[in-house]
Amino acid sequence: MKPLPTVIGLVAIAAAATAVVSGTLRNHAPEPDFPALSRPVAPIVSPRWATEDEREHLGEAGKVIAVLGDLTGKTVADVGAGEGYYEPHLSRAVGRTGHVVAEDIDEATVAKLARRVKPLHNVTTKLGRADNVGLARSSTDVVLMVHMYHEITQPFALLWRVRASLKPGGRVAIVDADRATGDHGTPPPLLECELGAMGFARESTHTIEDGIYLAVFVPRAAPKTITPCR
């Protein structure tokens, strides 16, 4: 007769089963080699895409949040938050039980963000890096990137760590212009190729305004090797 498993053994078995079930959503393998990009990266020229009055007139934040659906109680990371246009909108959308992380890689910008969001009880700021937002594992429901993907110098490393930060059912939502990366945009096929190389599948694409789109991605199996897109 085989001996019955111990309590510790049962816990280990349960943990392993959980890892198998959620393996398509989280990174459990060692980090792969992150290749260099074979396309231009746009320089960061400003912490803003356009004036907030212009963006409000077009209803940009409202349109994006409407696509994302009910965010009540969710954790949303605004990556490359800049001057914080989205933060009051996201704060209202997640409500008292939700949380917004406003991240940027520029220390002076994060300091300004901190002053702006101080009255918002459910918004915190974070200083990230070009290759790592710095979010805790399995902590985030939506990672939002607005008009900044084309400025990321190390998108493969960043996306690898972003996917590890997603909760089961988490999404990555990217707003960008449909033009070349060197011209401060990302063509949708290129975006889908690069996200696909990192094991993300496009869930939907939406027009925000003429020439501006929102693409939503969900994680699938983590890649073992990464091939740059052209």
Side-chain angles (χ1 to χ4, degrees):
M1 178 181 293
K2 293 182 179 179
L4 292 175
T6 64
V7 172
I8 293 177
L10 289 172
V11 171
I13 292 169
T18 300
V20 170
V21 171
S22 62
T24 59
L25 297 177
R26 306 176 191 176
N27 298 333
H28 294 284
E31 288 190 346
D33 291 330
F34 300 117
L37 288 172
S38 57
R39 48 89 171 168
V41 175
I44 300 174
V45 295
S46 172
R48 65 173 64 165
W49 165 254
T51 69
E52 294 196 7
D53 286 344
E54 291 172 328
R55 299 173 88 173
E56 281 296 278
H57 177 72
L58 293 168
E60 178 191 323
K63 292 175 183 177
V64 170
I65 291 171
V67 169
L68 297 178
D70 185 9
L71 296 177
T72 304
K74 303 292 187 182
T75 296
V76 179
D78 181 10
V79 176
E83 294 184 340
Y85 162 66
Y86 270 80
E87 275 43 66
H89 298 276
L90 291 171
S91 175
R92 289 191 294 271
V94 303
R96 296 186 62 83
T97 58
H99 181 213
V100 177
V101 180
E103 182 269 1
D104 207 279
I105 63 172
D106 181 76
E107 192 169 355
T109 297
V110 173
K112 291 178 181 177
L113 269 172
R115 290 193 293 270
R116 176 169 188 171
V117 304
K118 189 174 182 179
L120 304 175
H121 73 282
N122 55 359
V123 180
T124 57
T125 56
K126 176 174 284 294
L127 179 65
R129 303 196 314 257
D131 65 345
N132 193 352
V133 179
L135 300 169
R137 181 179 289 273
S138 304
S139 64
T140 312
D141 295 289
V142 178
V143 172
L144 178 64
M145 304 181 188
V146 180
H147 295 304
M148 55 75 67
Y149 183 84
H150 50 268
E151 298 173 348
I152 302 173
T153 58
Q154 301 179 59
F156 298 127
L158 184 81
L159 289 169
W160 176 269
R161 291 152 189 157
V162 160
R163 65 175 291 132
S165 76
L166 293 175
K167 297 178 182 179
R171 297 169 288 165
V172 173
I174 299 175
V175 177
D176 217 333
D178 184 3
R179 54 178 180 251
T181 53
D183 194 24
H184 291 274
T186 309
L190 175 63
L191 184 69
E192 186 167 359
C193 181
E194 291 191 355
L195 270 289
M198 296 308 301
F200 288 88
R202 181 174 59 83
E203 183 179 71
S204 60
T205 302
H206 311 264
T207 299
I208 300 303
E209 58 180 279
D210 187 31
I212 307 296
Y213 66 91
L214 164 64
V216 181
F217 295 86
V218 293
R220 300 304 187 206
K224 294 181 179 179
T225 59
I226 303 165
T227 303
C229 303
R230 296 184 182 275

